[in-house]
Amino acid sequence: LPLRRSQSTFNHFVASTKLQPSSTPPVQKPDAKPFRLAVKDNIATEEFPTQCASGVLGQHASPFEATIVRQLRARGASVVGKTNMDEFGMGSHSVNSIHGPVRNPLAPPGEDVSAGGSSGGSAVAVALDDANIALGTDTGGSVRLPAAYTGIVGYKPSYGMLSRFGVVPYANSLDTVGLLARDVESIRQLVFDTKLYEEHDPSDPTSLSAETRQRCSKAAPAALPDLSQLTIGVPVEYNIDELDPAIRDAWAATASALESQGARIVPVSLPSTREALCAYYILAPAEASSNLAKYDGVRYGIRGPEGDAAGETLYSEARGAGFGAEVKRRILLGTYSLSSEAMDNYFIQAQKIRRLIQQDFDRVFKLDNPLYEPRQFDLSEMSADTALEDKQGPVQVDFLLSPTAPTYPPKLSDIMKRSSIDAYMNDVLTVPASLAGLPAVSVPVKIDQSHQFPTGLQLIAQYWDDRRLLALADKVV
Ligand code: GLN
């Protein structure tokens, strides 16, 4: 199938001409209200090709539709097109794409600036009002970061809430489907008023069962109380040296504004945050290297120019020609960290850090994580260390407030000059919530009117406290 690509100034759509209508139109919900939906190119649609901005899937059209697309069409969505992204979701600026980079529409004319990634095309489609809602995927920040850079709202739900069936996996234990919109309310309505959050998908093994959903929903308070009853934590480890001073100011000003409305603002410490980025960049490539093994020119993917009937070079040709440089780098990193000599030093250590990060969050949130059974009180486990920790016990908070990204969107020309490690740095504030599977949302705030770009601020909540998270986000915008 030839790629049907619409030329746009911002290069945010990769396909907007329909191949065919979906074979089984979903039964429309009685309360369905029509809206325009843009879909990231790693989410399967029948109407459009699904190519993950990769050469390796250059001829791929999915024979089925992702559950999330079917669910949203039942709620009134019509898909307006597939959006540009970093290949297989790997990147932070939507520049690692076979279609070329996405450009940020907030940049002054003549200046090419990052729209964030990897769901940059989805963010731009919403920012330009080509769509009311866009679907993205967020593995380590790919919905929140582009939302921050383009001045819109980006929501990453609790892991396991929205179905990933039909979403091309990057790192399964971290992948979530996220929503982008210009306001919080449209996301809140879609997820909660239309009861999307209740729907278990038997086709996705990580989709929470109906029973667990009920248990989690019982544990999470339904309504956001008055701000005077809320404690909001400001994680001190997120105040990194690399933070742009204007972003630090917007963060402080927003915290003060919430305080003046009655909320209690307290500094909290999440000590393992420092290790989060390193752990993420071991775990995500490890899972990716295994996921991408199937693009070998036989099961999936293009055949290389030589073909090769003997099969000696078939795989290497297909993979060598089909994947971009960043994807190859991740495959090599992941294959290495999973190899027998490196496993203990990298993969296992990163898993341990992931656990510590989850514990950090559980310690600071007032609500317990509903996924864990309550711990039995056991005197033999008590030591001087744990006693000390309990005595110095942290302040318990309802939500955490931080910036989404350490800087404003960089110029595309600067990104090309930098190393890929610089792009990894951008994820430093978004990966901790991903590693812990927690819900998080990026909202745009404009404090300093003279500044060219709005600042993206991130709110993080305890697992399954998504409803109150969005209600609070609505007060911050
Ligand atoms: N920038 C991160 C990465 O490249 C996050 C990507 C994502 O969330 N899909 O892994």
Side-chain angles (χ1 to χ4, degrees), residues 40 89-92 118 137-142 170 280-281 284 330 427:
K40 188 176 179 179
M90 299 176 192
S92 307
S118 60
T137 54
D138 191 312
T139 303
S142 275
Y170 159 18
Y280 174 85
Y281 275 99
R330 305 278 179 112
D427 303 330

Side-chain angles (χ1 to χ4, degrees), residues 38-118:
V39 179
K40 188 176 179 179
D41 200 26
N42 60 348
I43 303 178
T45 43
E46 281 182 316
E47 297 169 301
F48 301 92
T50 298
Q51 302 172 340
C52 302
S54 180
V56 95
L57 284 176
Q59 291 164 24
H60 187 68
S62 171
F64 61 86
E65 179 173 72
T67 301
I68 186 72
V69 175
R70 184 178 47 72
Q71 287 170 322
L72 294 193
R73 288 199 304 113
R75 287 164 172 81
S78 50
V79 180
V80 293
K82 298 301 282 284
T83 57
N84 201 356
M85 56 182 281
D86 284 300
E87 186 176 0
F88 288 106
M90 299 176 192
S92 307
H93 296 294
S94 299
V95 294
N96 305 326
S97 163
I98 192 148
H99 311 291
V102 179
R103 284 183 290 278
N104 190 328
L106 298 184
E111 213 175 272
D112 285 344
V113 165
S114 165
S118 60

